[in-house]
């Protein structure tokens, strides 16, 4: 069982920046990918960014060029640097650890609120 704990959310004005952190209780390299999702009120949860165990990253079109995902494998921590924030980025952000082998499973954090004011 792996626990994921997010931190770094808060209230920021449009154009500002935040850095989210996701600290894992286990080795993040044991997972195929670490991902950030978000869920805005009344909307479905959506994938924002992901980083593979090999270090490759991918982003939703809506955040490309503004968000950067990174990992510190020694600290078992994943980060999401969010720049040029927009009001539409307001959501609860969730960290996800994804494993896919003979079985497939996911672990989730409790989420951290990000609110961007206009």
């Amino acid at each position: 069982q792996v626990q994921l704990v997010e931190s770094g959310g808060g209230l920021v004005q449009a154009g500002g920046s935040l850095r989210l952190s996701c600290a894992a209780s286990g080795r993040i390299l044991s997972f195929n990918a670490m991902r950030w999702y978000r869920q805005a009120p009344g909307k479905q949860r959506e994938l924002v960014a992901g980083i593979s165990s090999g270090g490759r990253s991918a982003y939703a079109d809506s955040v490309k060029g503004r968000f950067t995902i990174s990992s510190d494998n020694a600290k078992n921590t994943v980060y999401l640097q969010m720049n040029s924030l927009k009001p539409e980025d307001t959501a609860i952000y969730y960290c996800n650890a994804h494993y896919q082998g003979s079985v497939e499973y996911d672990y989730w954090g409790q989420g951290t609120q990000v609110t961007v004011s206009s």
Side-chain angles (χ1 to χ4, degrees):
Q1 189 77 7
V2 172
Q3 291 185 330
L4 304 174
V5 180
E6 301 102 331
S7 61
L11 174 64
V12 64
Q13 288 188 332
S17 298
L18 285 174
R19 189 176 83 152
L20 305 183
S21 299
C22 170
S25 62
R27 292 180 68 248
I28 60 174
L29 286 178
S30 65
F31 294 96
N32 297 86
M34 299 295 296
R35 300 165 174 167
W36 286 97
Y37 285 77
R38 68 186 180 187
Q39 187 166 20
K43 295 188 177 181
Q44 290 189 328
R45 191 173 296 190
E46 64 172 346
L47 178 61
V48 174
I51 186 166
S52 71
S53 55
R56 287 182 295 181
S57 58
Y59 300 90
D61 287 343
S62 59
V63 307
K64 278 181 183 177
R66 301 188 297 121
F67 290 11
T68 303
I69 188 170
S70 61
S71 62
D72 185 330
N73 297 327
K75 295 182 178 180
N76 291 310
T77 300
V78 179
Y79 304 97
L80 185 67
Q81 178 67 44
M82 305 186 295
N83 299 329
S84 302
L85 283 162
K86 304 175 181 179
E88 51 263 43
D89 294 317
T90 295
I92 299 174
Y93 284 70
Y94 296 92
C95 180
N96 165 270
H98 179 73
Y99 177 83
Q100 186 164 4
S102 56
V103 294
E104 182 176 356
Y105 54 84
D106 291 86
Y107 292 106
W108 293 90
Q110 82 288 351
T112 186
Q113 177 71 48
V114 171
T115 303
V116 184
S117 63
S118 56

